[in-house]
Amino acid sequence: MRIEANRRDLLRWLATAGAGLAAAGIAPVAFAQEAAAAGTDVVVVSGVTVVDGTDGPARPDFAVVLVGDRIAWVGPAAEVPLGGSARIIDGRGRYLVPGLWDMHAHGIDYEDLWPPLFLANGVTGIREMQGYDENRITRDKIDRGELLGPRVVLASSIIDGPVSLLGPPITKVANAEEARAAVRTAVAQRSNFVKVYFYLPKDAFAAIADECRRQGLPFVGHWPYRLRVLDAAMSGQRSFEHLFGLPIATSSCRDEFLARLDATPFDPQAPRDFFNLARELDRRAAQAYDPAAAARHFAGLNASGSRLSPTFAVNRVISLPAGTFAHDPRNKYVPREIRDVWADRLPLFSPVTPEQIAQQEVYFHAQLRLVGEAHRAGVGILGGTDCQNPYVYPGFSLHDELDFLVEAGLGPRQALQAVTRDAAAFLGRADSAGTITPGKVADLVLLDADPLADIRAVRRIDTVVTAGRVLDRVTLDRMLADAESAANRPAEMVNARSERLPLHGCC
């Protein structure tokens, strides 16, 4: 009874102290009364340093009050009437950040593996980049509260041309009519956005862009080879994945290399040949950086509002010899049949000879420099990993991605914002997510070290809060142990879907 009485006291205090809720358009008195009537859980993270995801300074000795799945109050810890009222999380010596977003992920439908791995690493939201029946089901389970997992913003089926690197379940379109139909299907399947791919014919791409405008659905994806990147951006493509085409677009040999690609057909008998040519030209172009061309390109991206999603985590894997990650300790969370596919397909992309290894090392660091230049020019950067491609791990690899963003030239605060505030804004969720602000969703990560001093602090997780549900360190360790056990069950007991794993060098 005392806990309940004190909980009511805290809610009564919130009714008068909830200026932050009022600023978010929520009536504090009604909010507190509804929470009291419903018996909603109240959690207070007390004495913590709040790194709220905005440009403001870190705020030491603060408290954050959570009521159900909402942040209800943020302010000095001394102002909160505690005394055993609600669940208290001791934040002293710790740092509270918004929940992280992986903005390029795959495989959420491995339900006993990927969802817990994301959450255990502080990833409370993902942009799932290929829609199909299984992960639509998983998304809905999470939305209904039947499955514990990150929030899922889900793509359409990948839409590509009649020649493609990919097989089912992608959608191939040969003309404008088929392209429009694919967009309408995406709407019917409740896709959050459309994803386009490399080999789309120009007329099909234009139809997708127009139909997406008609339907009010954003579209993102790979560089469509038959268009210039800026033409695609001005047509409405909101993000470009993996940096494909960026080295060419910012080089002194841009026109020569683009003319060569324009003159090269897509070969249905050897579809990878064009991809390999484009990638090799990108690599060579990275050594011919032209500041003037780059300035024009970055200005064009800014004018269109398009973002870059570098996915350094996967780019790093394919820049190194195939065996580099064979003994990575994180492999214990990945089923054997997936690792077997990784080992089989990664050699399609990895360097082998000493000369190739040296070339790819130079290329990768040129990509880092390009993203730094883009960031300094004001281009928006999204933090994603392309997990489920070889040796790119759910949750864990987002920490790697943050390291790479800092190495590229973002400050720790800016890198953190790329996977919190800026991710939410890109997804149209700035009013409900991305910062530690009253009225927003209670997706939080409590760290044992300061991420503004060293971005690697995001690995030192004490507690994760997802939609108001508190996962302490004991719970997170149990989730990791359960995922490891699930990954190491006999193959016939695992959700084996290796025939459609997105292992084609980036999806």
Side-chain angles (χ1 to χ4, degrees):
M1 284 298 295
R2 179 183 176 186
I3 292 176
E4 176 61 20
N6 285 331
R7 176 183 156 286
R8 286 198 300 268
D9 289 344
L10 197 150
L11 288 171
R12 280 195 292 268
W13 165 81
L14 181 64
T16 60
L21 284 174
I26 300 170
V29 173
F31 179 86
Q33 289 174 342
E34 290 171 7
T40 306
D41 290 339
V42 177
V43 176
V44 181
V45 185
S46 183
V48 73
T49 296
V50 173
V51 179
D52 64 8
T54 72
D55 292 327
R59 294 177 286 178
D61 200 21
F62 257 48
V64 177
V65 179
L66 312 178
V67 178
D69 62 356
R70 294 283 193 93
I71 299 169
W73 189 86
V74 181
E79 295 183 14
V80 182
L82 295 178
S85 55
R87 177 170 182 177
I88 310 300
I89 298 175
D90 186 357
R92 290 175 297 179
R94 298 188 171 96
Y95 297 79
L96 193 67
V97 302
L100 312 179
W101 282 83
D102 187 333
M103 292 294 284
H104 193 122
H106 294 279
I108 192 64
D109 50 310
Y110 280 88
E111 292 182 353
D112 51 358
L113 295 169
W114 273 212
L117 293 178
F118 279 124
L119 291 178
N121 285 281
V123 178
T124 59
I126 67 167
R127 189 171 63 144
E128 168 68 68
M129 295 297 287
Q130 181 178 10
Y132 43 80
D133 288 343
E134 291 90 344
N135 61 18
R136 283 188 280 271
I137 291 169
T138 299
R139 172 197 59 185
D140 293 345
K141 287 182 181 179
I142 293 172
D143 286 349
R144 293 192 299 265
E146 297 169 7
L147 176 69
L148 181 62
R151 300 175 192 275
V152 178
V153 176
L154 185 59
S156 67
S157 171
I158 292 174
I159 307 177
D160 204 3
V163 176
S164 181
L165 296 176
L166 309 181
I170 75 157
T171 299
K172 295 183 179 183
V173 300
N175 53 51
E177 182 180 356
E178 292 177 357
R180 289 183 185 278
V183 173
R184 290 193 291 268
T185 296
V187 172
Q189 293 172 333
R190 296 187 299 111
S191 304
N192 298 110
F193 59 94
V194 162
K195 181 177 177 183
V196 298
Y197 215 63
F198 289 124
Y199 291 1
L200 277 168
K202 188 177 290 187
D203 63 336
F205 180 90
I208 289 170
D210 183 64
E211 193 64 29
C212 282
R213 280 192 294 271
R214 290 170 181 265
Q215 300 289 342
L217 201 63
F219 75 98
V220 305
H222 289 210
W223 168 32
Y225 287 138
R226 291 310 184 208
L227 283 86
R228 304 297 185 257
V229 169
L230 288 186
D231 289 341
M234 295 309 293
S235 295
Q237 186 167 333
R238 296 190 60 223
S239 73
F240 293 87
E241 310 302 309
H242 316 303
L243 306 180
F244 290 126
L246 182 65
I248 292 176
T250 56
S251 76
S252 59
C253 49
R254 179 195 61 190
D255 294 342
E256 172 194 348
F257 285 179
L258 289 175
R260 183 172 174 187
L261 291 174
D262 288 345
T264 303
F266 301 146
D267 183 353
Q269 302 306 312
R272 189 169 296 281
D273 287 354
F274 194 101
F275 171 84
N276 290 339
L277 171 63
R279 187 164 180 253
E280 174 59 17
L281 293 180
D282 250 351
R283 184 192 68 77
R284 289 164 53 188
Q287 303 312 306
Y289 178 74
D290 180 344
R296 290 191 294 271
H297 188 73
F298 297 148
L301 290 175
N302 284 332
S304 67
S306 298
R307 309 287 182 94
L308 296 177
S309 176
T311 64
F312 285 123
V314 73
N315 288 350
R316 188 50 170 160
V317 171
I318 63 176
S319 75
L320 295 168
T324 303
F325 298 90
H327 301 291
D328 191 298
R330 297 171 292 186
N331 286 332
K332 66 186 179 181
Y333 299 112
V334 181
R336 167 60 63 183
E337 79 273 12
I338 295 181
R339 285 182 278 138
D340 287 345
V341 175
W342 287 359
D344 178 64
R345 299 189 194 176
L346 184 56
L348 291 171
F349 309 96
S350 296
V352 176
T353 68
E355 180 184 16
Q356 290 170 339
I357 293 169
Q359 287 176 341
Q360 289 301 314
E361 189 70 10
V362 170
Y363 180 32
F364 179 75
H365 284 90
Q367 291 176 313
L368 288 170
R369 289 194 298 275
L370 271 178
V371 169
E373 292 289 346
H375 167 70
R376 286 186 285 276
V379 177
I381 306 297
L382 303 176
T385 64
D386 210 5
C387 66
Q388 199 172 331
N389 270 281
Y391 307 106
V392 185
Y393 308 93
F396 297 100
S397 287
L398 190 66
H399 302 163
D400 300 336
E401 191 72 17
L402 288 167
D403 291 349
F404 288 130
L405 290 177
V406 170
E407 187 177 352
L410 281 70
R413 181 191 300 276
Q414 296 161 331
L416 188 63
Q417 288 172 334
V419 299
T420 55
R421 181 195 68 179
D422 299 345
F426 179 82
L427 296 170
R429 300 185 177 208
D431 292 339
S432 63
T435 62
I436 302 177
T437 304
K440 294 192 177 184
V441 294
D443 293 348
L444 306 166
V445 186
L446 184 63
L447 305 172
D448 286 332
D450 182 3
L452 301 184
D454 184 348
I455 196 61
R456 290 173 295 182
V458 296
R459 292 169 162 82
R460 298 181 58 184
I461 295 173
D462 176 86
T463 300
V464 173
V465 182
T466 176
R469 180 169 177 175
V470 178
L471 310 174
D472 61 17
R473 188 65 255 173
V474 171
T475 302
L476 297 175
D477 287 340
R478 184 171 63 250
M479 291 166 61
L480 288 171
D482 289 346
E484 181 180 356
S485 297
N488 289 280
R489 291 198 300 264
E492 62 272 14
M493 296 178 63
V494 179
N495 277 333
R497 295 184 291 277
S498 59
E499 71 279 359
R500 60 163 170 70
L501 292 178
L503 308 177
H504 20 68
C506 294
C507 181

